[in-house]
Amino acid sequence: MRLGFQSFVSAHKLSAENVRYSDYVVVRLLFEATRDAGFWNLHWAITDQPPNSDRIWQQWKNLESPSALESTATAECDELSALYAFLVERSGVRSVGLFWPAPNHTVAVWVMRPATGPVVRVVVPTSQIFLDENDLFDTKKFNPWRQKTIYEYTRRDLPDSLELPKPLLDFFLKQVDKYAGSSEVTLQQLRYLREGVFSRAWTPEQAAREALKKRSALGSGPSEDLAALQSFAEDMRSWVPH
C-alpha cells in the first residue's frame, strides 16, 4: 500500500499536504473489496436497478452463510459504483462520485482538490467492463474529464441502524486479513480467478491450481502475495457452496 501511495503521489505530482495516506488507504481498500469479484465477493450482472446500493444491502442483510465459492450479492456497474462511493463517504473521505464513460456504463471517480495545483480526478473501475487485466485503480482508459461535473455521492443508502449478519461481517473482515495486503497485480489476478468461479468458467479446483501456479511463479516474491495466493487456493478447496 505504501509503495502504491508513493507511485500515486508521484504520478499526480501531489505533495503530502495535498493527500493523506490514510485517505488513500481507505479509497484503495474499499475499491478492492467492493469491485466486481473483489474480495467481498460481489458479482456483476445486468439488474436494471437504480444507481444506488440499496439492493446490495438488501441481499447482504439476508445472507447468513457466506461462501468463498459464491457471490455475496449481485449488482450492476452503477450499483457497485454507488456502494463504493457510499462506503468511502461514510468512512470520512471526500469526494467520490459516479462517472459515465459510456451511456451504458458507470464507474466511480475520486476527486481531489489540492490547496495548490489543479484538481485531480482518479478513475476507480468498480468493474472490468470495457477494460482488460492491465487496467487497475487510477486507470487511464477512461477520461474522467469527459464528464463536466462529478457530483459527490451523498445519498444515504441505508440507515445507521442496519446490522449485517455476524457470519457475513466476519467473512468480510477475514477477507480483508487474507487479501488486502497483497499487490495490485496479485489482487487483479485473484479477481479474474474469482470471477471465473462465479460465472462457472472455472471450477473451484481449477482456480485453486491456477492460483498455486501463480504462487510458484513468484518464487521468493513478496510474502503478502504468496500468502494471498495460498489462501485463495485453500478457500477454493475447503469451502462447500450453500
Side-chain angles (χ1 to χ4, degrees), residues 1 7 22 25 83 113 115 121 127 140 154 156 163 169 177 187-188 196 204 209 219 229 232-233 237-238:
M1 189 69 80
S7 298
S22 59
V25 170
L83 173 70
R113 296 178 174 85
R121 291 184 177 183
S127 74
K140 301 301 186 287
T154 56
R156 286 296 182 92
E163 293 186 8
L169 184 59
D177 285 342
L187 287 167
Q188 183 80 313
R209 290 176 182 174
L229 291 163
F232 181 84
R237 287 174 168 170
S238 63

Side-chain angles (χ1 to χ4, degrees), residues 8 12 14 18-19 94-95 110-114 118-122:
F8 176 80
H12 291 283
L14 296 166
N18 288 330
V19 56
R94 300 180 65 183
S95 142
W110 179 27
V111 181
M112 292 180 292
R113 296 178 174 85
V119 173
V120 175
R121 291 184 177 183
V122 180

Side-chain angles (χ1 to χ4, degrees), residues 30-50:
L30 289 173
F31 161 64
E32 298 292 356
T34 62
R35 64 189 302 208
D36 172 31
F39 53 71
W40 281 359
N41 283 27
L42 287 150
H43 194 216
W44 178 91
I46 295 174
T47 61
D48 294 324
Q49 294 294 317

Side-chain angles (χ1 to χ4, degrees), residues 12-219:
H12 291 283
K13 298 179 174 60
L14 296 166
S15 66
E17 293 74 30
N18 288 330
V19 56
R20 294 188 301 180
Y21 175 65
S22 59
D23 286 355
Y24 175 82
V25 170
V26 168
V27 169
R28 275 287 315 282
L29 174 67
L30 289 173
F31 161 64
E32 298 292 356
T34 62
R35 64 189 302 208
D36 172 31
F39 53 71
W40 281 359
N41 283 27
L42 287 150
H43 194 216
W44 178 91
I46 295 174
T47 61
D48 294 324
Q49 294 294 317
N52 59 57
S53 65
D54 297 23
R55 282 284 300 147
I56 296 174
W57 292 101
Q58 288 173 19
Q59 294 173 75
W60 276 352
K61 72 180 183 180
N62 296 315
L63 186 57
E64 295 282 355
S65 301
S67 165
L69 305 183
E70 297 176 339
S71 62
T72 58
T74 299
E76 208 161 352
C77 52
D78 53 356
E79 297 174 272
L80 295 173
S81 299
L83 173 70
Y84 172 77
F86 170 75
L87 286 173
V88 170
E89 190 275 337
R90 295 294 286 125
S91 298
V93 179
R94 300 180 65 183
S95 142
V96 176
L98 307 187
F99 167 51
W100 282 261
N104 61 342
H105 186 45
T106 312
V107 296
V109 167
W110 179 27
V111 181
M112 292 180 292
R113 296 178 174 85
T116 58
V119 173
V120 175
R121 291 184 177 183
V122 180
V123 174
V124 185
T126 47
S127 74
Q128 290 298 109
I129 306 298
F130 301 135
L131 301 174
D132 60 37
E133 61 184 10
N134 297 313
D135 291 301
L136 309 170
F137 178 84
D138 197 19
T139 176
K140 301 301 186 287
K141 186 68 65 71
F142 300 140
N143 177 10
W145 292 98
R146 288 183 54 195
Q147 186 170 300
K148 183 177 180 181
T149 305
I150 304 292
Y151 293 100
E152 183 174 6
Y153 192 88
T154 56
R155 183 180 185 273
R156 286 296 182 92
D157 288 0
L158 78 160
D160 290 345
S161 59
L162 183 140
E163 293 186 8
L164 292 178
K166 188 176 185 301
L168 179 63
L169 184 59
D170 288 345
F171 174 77
F172 284 166
L173 294 176
K174 287 177 182 175
Q175 292 291 94
V176 172
D177 285 342
K178 290 176 182 177
Y179 301 113
S182 50
S183 67
E184 282 187 293
V185 172
T186 292
L187 287 167
Q188 183 80 313
Q189 291 173 339
L190 291 174
R191 193 217 74 84
Y192 275 97
L193 291 176
R194 201 176 281 116
E195 196 279 332
V197 173
F198 292 163
S199 63
R200 305 295 189 263
W202 294 79
T203 66
E205 178 59 27
Q206 287 172 328
R209 290 176 182 174
E210 188 65 22
L212 293 176
K213 187 187 300 182
K214 293 181 183 300
R215 186 183 189 281
S216 179
L218 278 178

